[in-house]
Amino acid sequence: DAGVTQSPTHLIKTRGQQVTLRCSPISGHKSVSWYQQVLGQGPQFIFQYYEKEERGRGNFPDRFSARQFPNYSSELNVNALLLGDSALYLCASSFLLLAGVFEQFFGPGTRLTVL
Amino acid sequence: AQRVTQPEKLLSVFKGAPVELKCNYSYSGSPELFWYVQYSRQRLQLLLRHISRESIKGFTADLNKGETSFHLKKPFAQEEDSAMYYCALRSSGGGADGLTFGKGTHLIIQP
């Protein structure tokens, strides 16, 4: 298993445009989370999806949306891009180990630059 | 609101010296705490979780609920420990598993 995969690796957009980022979780993982990591900061939680339903949302505007497909892959969409949306977008898949122990695995990220 | 604070942006120690990376959290419930590490050109990966009380690569971390801290320690630093370290908190009992991260500490081990 290649682990969590994300595409594309890099993306350059201009202000006002829309972008779609993609994520494939580790085989067998049903939960996908999205994070935004601005340079010099830790990752910030955007969304979590489990079994195709949104389970959690961070403090992000409605311009950010996501969905999860029947094969558990996920897309993150950002509309009306702003310069401040420039960041590394991380996807993580997770599962519950025995006794409720939680583990989350991260992908390599998509670097989005908004000009 | 939950928050994770890592007061040191950069920590530089010599090889063989003890290392302590500080992490304080703010959360009203019973948290799960994690340390994640990112080595150069690699993806973010779990180092250890408080619930397992494990030691990974010589690192340990004890959850101190009284001081709301989860400091990461290693008695003898090695050059391969150089990396970005992030402390993270997962709120318990809710439906979401989103992690709250600190801003990270860049650990540099000098030879």
Side-chain angles (χ1 to χ4, degrees), chain A residues 4 35 37 48 55 103 106, chain B residues 43 49 86 95 97 99:
Chain A
V4 177
Y35 293 83
Q37 187 174 20
Q48 188 203 11
R55 286 191 71 186
E103 181 139 7
F106 284 83
Chain B
R43 61 184 69 186
R49 57 173 80 86
Y86 295 95
D97 292 327
L99 296 171

Side-chain angles (χ1 to χ4, degrees), chain B residues 23-98:
Chain B
C23 171
N24 288 91
Y25 67 91
S26 171
Y27 181 61
S28 57
S30 183
E32 283 184 63
L33 274 299
F34 303 84
W35 276 99
Y36 278 81
V37 61
Q38 189 166 27
Y39 300 103
S40 180
R41 300 182 189 281
Q42 294 187 28
R43 61 184 69 186
L44 200 59
Q45 58 186 283
L46 179 66
L47 179 62
L48 55 79
R49 57 173 80 86
H50 91 270
I51 199 168
S52 302
R53 301 186 66 79
E54 57 204 341
S55 173
I56 304 294
K57 298 183 180 183
F59 284 98
T60 59
D62 289 319
L63 178 60
N64 185 324
K65 292 187 177 180
E67 296 183 358
T68 60
S69 69
F70 187 56
H71 303 327
L72 183 67
K73 299 177 183 178
K74 184 170 183 177
F76 307 104
Q78 298 173 306
E79 288 185 68
E80 54 264 33
D81 296 329
S82 294
M84 279 295 297
Y85 290 81
Y86 295 95
C87 182
L89 177 156
R90 173 190 178 221
S91 57
S92 63
D97 292 327

Side-chain angles (χ1 to χ4, degrees), chain B residues 3-21:
Chain B
R3 187 166 57 214
V4 175
T5 303
Q6 293 180 250
E8 303 132 334
K9 207 170 184 178
L10 174 67
L11 184 63
S12 179
V13 301
F14 286 101
K15 177 182 171 183
V19 171
E20 183 179 47
L21 287 81

